[in-house]
Amino acid sequence: SVSAFLLNRSSDLDLTLAGDVKNEGLGSLIIQKNVTVDGKPVADTDDKTIADGDYSFVVTNEAGETVGMATITVKDGVSGTATVGNLPEGTYTVSETDSKGLVVDEASKQVKVETGKTATVATVAFTDNKPGTPGFEKKIKDTNDSTGETSVWQDSADYDLGDAVPYKLTARLSNDVSSYRKYHVTFEDEMEESLDFQRDSVEVQLNGEKLDASKYTLTQDGDHKFSVKLEWGDGQNKIGKEAGLDGATVDVYFTATLNAKAKVGNEGNINRSRLLFSNNPNSFDDKDESEIPWDYVIAFTYKLDVNKVDQNAQALEGAEFTLEKLVKATEEGAQDTYVPVALIVEKNVFTATGIDDGIYRLTETKAPAGYRTVAPMTFEVKVTHAPLKNDLNYDNRTEVLD
């Protein structure tokens, strides 16, 4: 819908509000109002009403005098127009006075009004954009040492103590970065004390291309916290589409070592991240920012107890064991090998702490007095990770393992 008032120069003028001007002395102009969300038409979004509202405009002549006003109502994201008439030939400035908090491409625009029998009514278009929000996620990858199989990036994994656990942070930038004068994203990461951040492992990619370390700022706070910040723009000129940042993907890869403080069993070891990002394209200092809340992933490690018992299930003294894990060869032509796993003995129980899923071989190297050694046993440690009904956090961490 459109509401407008026209400042009439004469009460008996024959005017048209669109198309060719029939009155030779006065002309008209058309104001067109468009709205976008994250740089895309509202029709492409889930909420068609997100940018609805009344948008106000004022028209001034070369002397700075107000000669017309208009209000354009946008409904369901559909563009609207208003016509201001009874204008002598000349150059006029059309200014948007109420953009409803949206970001305007230009607050004021000039338009030339012509008169005469064949004069064409000029149209001045304003496009307001509701700033977009980046997408963000944190993932972990799992590798089975015995089979060599590696998972996709996911929310949980299993690792041995001392392993370098791989993580990936991904931000998909909004589609309107080009409208900012300065723009940044900051990845903040926190891990439990059972995980030690490996600074040298950090790799940052933009649209799949590795960035030189000079293109981002890596800040480390102790062994369990760090941040990566990327910035674009000079704070004066709009970044522009030629920068190729609209909808771009930024990935941060890194590893953390699972240390001796690891929680064993279904409690797991959590690493979480969040994203801070620019939210005001009109800002020159880039101090306005929003955040996407913490996203969590978890790494599990396990414990295995071994003993030899009598017919009454009582542990026998004098038994000795070795435990080995099958590790698949990574080089072509090489043989798979069994590697030793440390066993701690206490009260005739042999315990392996901090092991991963995989294939293991247990060998009894010495039998208790009066008993024979058993043949080596090969077995597999296999764990099922259940999908959570809600996003992972500190409160539901024990619900991941079946």
Side-chain angles (χ1 to χ4, degrees), residues 321-333:
F321 297 92
T322 60
L323 182 65
E324 301 166 290
K325 181 180 183 180
L326 179 64
V327 176
K328 189 172 183 62
T330 56
E331 297 182 4
E332 187 176 352

Side-chain angles (χ1 to χ4, degrees), residues 164-165 167 196-204 216 218 252-256:
V165 182
Y167 298 95
D196 293 328
F197 170 59
Q198 300 302 307
R199 184 185 182 96
D200 292 342
S201 69
V202 172
E203 179 178 317
V204 181
Y216 57 87
L218 171 59
V252 177
Y253 298 89
F254 69 97
T255 64

